[in-house]
Amino acid sequence: MSLTCQHLRTVGVGPRRDGRNEPGGVELPGVIAATKDGMVSSFTTMAVVATLLASTEGVFLSIIKSSSQSPSSEPRNTKVMVILTYLAIIFNIGASWSALRMIDALGKMPFLVAQYNTKRMSVGKSVEQFDLEKVRDVAQGMRKYGLSGIWSFFAWHCSISLFLGSLCVLAQILLYTWINEDAWVSIAVTVLAFITSIPIFLSLFM
């Protein structure tokens, strides 16, 4: 136990004997840490959903290709379905990679903050304290604590790619039902698709 504590003091983690924190012994403020954990959970879920959608579209593409060999199939409709499938796969792959990059960036926040505070203390400056009144929004607060660079681009890229990929999937479902199902089934599916797509559109403004 004593060796472990001595090692932690050597590498600059944890409290010093005089009661002050070492430069590397940094903890994110509670609000920032909770926001980071929430964002990690959200982007993890988005990566999983996007991956599942891309995998499903890959299976659906093989079904479309096999059904296109049927004499009764309409070439124009089949081409539209294939295009929507390719678009859905591409958008969802992009969304999953952007989500993974966001998770990676969020995981580096404590190290970046510790590095920043170490540089400040090395030149005799004090460590900045978190003041919620000086933070305009979530983006500013996260930037202040290490989430810098093009992270906002990855966040928007993930959201928009997943949004477009989901729309392609809905368009596929609607096109398939209007081609192959009775009118009342197609109308019912269209109404349900409209209702279920409301959160998808609202997510861009939240």
Side-chain angles (χ1 to χ4, degrees):
M1 181 67 180
S2 59
L3 290 176
T4 303
C5 293
Q6 182 65 34
H7 174 68
L8 291 177
R9 293 192 185 98
T10 302
V11 298
V13 179
R16 291 174 15 162
R17 292 181 179 178
D18 57 5
R20 294 183 298 167
N21 286 333
E22 289 282 359
V26 64
E27 289 187 5
L28 296 176
V31 175
I32 299 298
T35 303
K36 179 183 79 71
D37 293 340
M39 292 177 69
V40 168
S41 178
S42 297
F43 282 106
T44 300
T45 303
M46 293 172 74
V48 172
V49 171
T51 303
L52 290 175
L53 287 176
S55 302
T56 304
E57 289 300 307
V59 175
F60 191 57
L61 180 62
S62 62
I63 296 175
I64 296 175
K65 289 290 188 179
S66 60
S67 63
S68 64
Q69 306 299 327
S70 174
S72 60
S73 63
E74 179 66 32
R76 181 178 301 177
N77 294 332
T78 301
K79 287 182 179 180
V80 175
M81 294 284 287
V82 170
I83 291 173
L84 288 173
T85 304
Y86 281 129
L87 289 176
I89 293 174
I90 292 171
F91 285 135
N92 285 301
I93 289 176
S96 63
W97 272 101
S98 294
L100 293 175
R101 291 301 303 157
M102 279 300 302
I103 296 170
D104 178 67
L106 290 164
K108 294 177 180 177
M109 285 181 65
F111 172 79
L112 295 175
V113 175
Q115 188 179 53
Y116 173 73
N117 289 339
T118 300
K119 291 179 180 179
R120 288 183 60 87
M121 296 177 68
S122 64
V123 295
K125 295 182 179 180
S126 61
V127 176
E128 295 184 16
Q129 300 298 319
F130 178 73
D131 188 356
L132 189 59
E133 294 181 354
K134 296 181 180 179
V135 178
R136 295 191 306 271
D137 50 26
V138 175
Q140 183 185 13
M142 300 303 281
R143 287 194 189 96
K144 183 178 177 64
Y145 284 89
L147 195 61
S148 58
I150 59 173
W151 73 273
S152 57
F153 166 78
F154 282 115
W156 276 104
H157 184 272
C158 179
S159 300
I160 293 175
S161 296
L162 186 59
F163 168 77
L164 294 176
S166 300
L167 289 185
C168 288
V169 174
L170 287 175
Q172 280 181 312
I173 295 173
L174 292 176
L175 181 60
Y176 182 86
T177 54
W178 280 102
I179 293 174
N180 298 285
E181 303 295 343
D182 295 332
W184 69 271
V185 175
S186 301
I187 294 173
V189 171
T190 302
V191 173
L192 290 175
F194 174 77
I195 295 173
T196 55
S197 64
I198 292 176
I200 298 177
F201 286 97
L202 291 179
S203 64
L204 294 178
F205 305 98
M206 297 176 64

